[in-house]
Amino acid sequence: IDTSFNTFSNCIYLSINDGWDLSIKSSVRALDLKTGMMVEREDSCDTDTRLVEYHCEDGYMKERVAICPSAMICKDGVCVRN
């Protein structure tokens, strides 16, 4: 989990709180404390096997990169069977 994301506060879910579930796409909104602007992020594919996930934790937006399990690929922000 990238703790540098503490620059994004007031995090809320715009969709389901998936609890880092690789098979559910979620999106969040948070306040960028550097710019004062609201930003939105949603789970997305970095590569065909790497998933970038966003999550709210203690009011801050967090990000992590996960590798899809064996025999799965990343498609439209979720890991699916290949």
Side-chain angles (χ1 to χ4, degrees):
I1 297 173
D2 183 356
T3 56
S4 67
F5 263 60
N6 285 349
T7 58
F8 296 92
S9 69
N10 301 353
C11 186
I12 60 166
Y13 287 95
L14 300 176
S15 60
I16 188 169
N17 173 357
D18 68 0
W20 300 119
D21 188 324
L22 303 180
S23 65
I24 299 174
K25 186 174 186 173
S26 65
S27 57
V28 298
R29 178 184 295 147
L31 175 65
D32 183 335
L33 297 175
K34 291 180 182 176
T35 66
M37 303 289 292
M38 295 300 289
V39 296
E40 293 183 9
R41 300 285 187 268
E42 67 179 5
D43 296 352
S44 60
C45 298
D46 186 11
T47 68
D48 62 347
T49 58
R50 288 171 37 122
L51 174 63
V52 180
E53 289 196 301
Y54 295 92
H55 186 64
C56 294
E57 184 177 302
D58 299 326
Y60 292 98
M61 181 172 62
K62 304 293 182 179
E63 173 191 86
R64 79 168 185 171
V65 175
I67 304 299
C68 292
S70 180
M72 298 185 92
I73 61 169
C74 190
K75 184 176 181 181
D76 193 31
V78 296
C79 292
V80 295
R81 292 210 176 271
N82 190 1

